[in-house]
Amino acid sequence: MSKTASRPNELYFITLTIVDWVDIFTRRIYFDLITENLSFCQNQKSLEIFEYVIMTNHIHMICRGKDKPLSDILRDFKTYSSKELYKLILNNPNESRRKWMIKIFQAHGKSNKLNKNFQIWQNLNSPTLLYNNHIIDQKTEYIYMNPVKAGYVSKPEDYIYCSANPDSPLKVMEL
């Protein structure tokens, strides 16, 4: 994440993307790990999430670090979730794509000096500072429409891993 996204209390639109755009989030256990870890970051690391969507290979959020740099919170989130996702994939006997995904994640880890054995998340978070209501509304609409445009649902509120859904497992704050 760039230095501009390291000031606490500033609102950002961010995108977290899996290396090679691997469709990792296709099983509920992976979604659950992500929502549980984001919830932990909300409760323990000063992460405030206002909107989000988890797609098969990336996450969009409107969020900020309250009293902590967002870049630090996201670094911790990505470090922990990478390790846990890797273990889940490696030890999931029902994961038919296990060998293929592990091979990709290991190759990225070996080619990136910031990692040792594997890499799941791309390094950049693509932060966009949200400095007025018009831009916030645009990014909210973009988040809501992601699963619709992908053809997963016909209405944003029908996609469970999106803040547009009132029954979403991840609770968000009001803007």
Side-chain angles (χ1 to χ4, degrees), residues 82-92 102 118 120:
S82 287
K83 292 174 185 174
E84 295 303 307
L85 283 167
Y86 189 83
K87 282 192 262 182
L88 275 177
I89 293 166
L90 195 60
N91 297 315
N92 184 355
I102 294 298
F118 64 90
I120 291 182

Side-chain angles (χ1 to χ4, degrees), residues 153-169:
V153 292
S154 58
K155 298 179 298 199
E157 59 269 19
D158 290 341
Y159 191 68
I160 189 70
Y161 296 104
C162 181
S163 51
N165 185 314
D167 296 322
S168 168

Side-chain angles (χ1 to χ4, degrees), residues 73-128:
I73 298 167
L74 293 177
R75 178 200 61 224
D76 293 350
F77 165 77
K78 288 167 69 174
T79 298
Y80 178 81
S81 64
S82 287
K83 292 174 185 174
E84 295 303 307
L85 283 167
Y86 189 83
K87 282 192 262 182
L88 275 177
I89 293 166
L90 195 60
N91 297 315
N92 184 355
N94 297 320
E95 181 54 74
S96 58
R97 306 165 302 146
R98 177 179 38 214
K99 288 180 184 177
W100 171 76
M101 286 194 293
I102 294 298
K103 185 176 180 179
I104 290 171
F105 299 148
Q106 287 175 344
H108 277 273
K110 287 176 185 171
S111 67
N112 184 340
K113 64 182 177 182
L114 298 174
N115 299 302
K116 292 182 181 177
N117 300 317
F118 64 90
Q119 179 178 351
I120 291 182
W121 296 105
Q122 292 181 13
N123 290 335
L124 298 177
N125 301 322
S126 307
T128 301

Side-chain angles (χ1 to χ4, degrees), residues 18-120:
I18 302 297
V19 296
D20 283 351
W21 291 84
V22 171
D23 290 322
I24 192 172
F25 304 117
T26 58
R27 302 189 191 284
R28 185 173 190 106
I29 59 170
Y30 307 144
F31 280 108
D32 290 347
L33 177 98
I34 294 301
T35 57
E36 289 166 10
N37 191 231
L38 285 172
S39 181
F40 175 84
C41 290
Q42 288 173 309
N43 295 323
Q44 303 296 323
K45 299 226 175 233
S46 301
L47 177 64
E48 294 183 337
I49 301 172
F50 299 91
E51 304 291 355
Y52 86 98
V53 65
I54 304 171
M55 300 297 288
T56 60
N57 51 26
H58 65 284
I59 300 170
H60 293 299
M61 289 190 287
I62 293 177
C63 58
R64 70 177 170 208
K66 182 174 172 36
D67 305 324
K68 273 188 174 180
L70 181 59
S71 56
D72 292 353
I73 298 167
L74 293 177
R75 178 200 61 224
D76 293 350
F77 165 77
K78 288 167 69 174
T79 298
Y80 178 81
S81 64
S82 287
K83 292 174 185 174
E84 295 303 307
L85 283 167
Y86 189 83
K87 282 192 262 182
L88 275 177
I89 293 166
L90 195 60
N91 297 315
N92 184 355
N94 297 320
E95 181 54 74
S96 58
R97 306 165 302 146
R98 177 179 38 214
K99 288 180 184 177
W100 171 76
M101 286 194 293
I102 294 298
K103 185 176 180 179
I104 290 171
F105 299 148
Q106 287 175 344
H108 277 273
K110 287 176 185 171
S111 67
N112 184 340
K113 64 182 177 182
L114 298 174
N115 299 302
K116 292 182 181 177
N117 300 317
F118 64 90
Q119 179 178 351
I120 291 182

